[in-house]
Amino acid sequence: MSLRRIITMIGVKQATVGLTFIYHGPCPACEGCEYRKVCVENLEPGRVYRIVGLRERVFPCRVHEGGVRVVEVVEADVEAALPSKVAIEGATITFQPQECGQVDCEHYNLCFPVGLFRGDHCAILKVGERIRCREGLSLTRVVLRRTHAS
């Protein structure tokens, strides 16, 4: 399953292969920028991206000191908790966050992972250990990759 590479821009000081970041959306200073289409409109707010390639081009920017560099990114794989009965390596699932109100739980970030939304179609890349759940749910740690319709 190959990862879809996306061309975007990131601050020169952050432009490092391997850097993972959450895209929160454009800031008001991006309005009217001639590079907006490539810089911010290629990314989806709330998703986690990983830089996989750097390009030589650097452009001026109202937000980033030193400008922005053209980079190639992919959506990052995400660790999550799934019901153990569906945690099968290689399976494709529709992601549903767990029903839980335990915001102080040590596994909360796995049950409600950043970068995934309810209804996302995901491939299970790796199955890890079982998770001890305060609510008594049978959960397993997995690594997910969001899949896109062809």
Side-chain angles (χ1 to χ4, degrees):
M1 176 181 346
S2 65
L3 295 171
R4 186 173 64 119
R5 289 178 176 240
I6 301 165
I7 302 297
T8 189
M9 297 176 178
I10 193 163
V12 169
K13 294 178 181 177
Q14 292 81 34
T16 306
V17 170
L19 176 80
T20 301
F21 63 95
I22 302 167
Y23 177 62
H24 294 289
C27 66
C30 299
E31 276 303 313
C33 176
E34 65 182 299
Y35 307 115
R36 181 184 172 93
K37 187 169 181 100
V38 173
C39 191
V40 298
E41 291 182 10
N42 285 344
L43 303 179
E44 189 177 337
R47 300 290 183 194
V48 179
Y49 296 93
R50 182 171 40 88
I51 298 175
V52 295
L54 303 175
R55 303 273 177 101
E56 293 302 317
R57 299 290 309 263
V58 173
F59 295 91
C61 177
R62 299 177 200 151
V63 176
H64 294 279
E65 184 180 334
V68 289
R69 186 168 186 177
V70 178
V71 296
E72 297 172 33
V73 300
V74 296
E75 268 191 55
D77 297 339
V78 177
E79 274 196 304
L82 292 182
S84 297
K85 66 183 179 184
V86 299
I88 302 164
E89 192 170 317
T92 300
I93 55 111
T94 300
F95 179 75
Q96 300 296 329
Q98 303 310 310
E99 299 293 328
C100 176
Q102 303 283 335
V103 295
D104 63 337
C105 174
E106 65 180 300
H107 302 297
Y108 187 84
N109 291 336
L110 293 173
C111 292
F112 301 92
V114 174
L116 290 180
F117 304 133
R118 178 181 301 278
D120 282 345
H121 295 282
C122 300
I124 301 173
L125 301 179
K126 182 179 177 184
V127 175
E129 74 279 355
R130 293 226 176 196
I131 294 171
R132 184 177 296 271
C133 173
R134 287 193 207 166
E135 297 282 314
L137 301 173
S138 176
L139 300 175
T140 299
R141 179 187 299 259
V142 298
V143 176
L144 300 175
R145 178 176 293 160
R146 192 166 75 108
T147 58
H148 301 274
S150 307

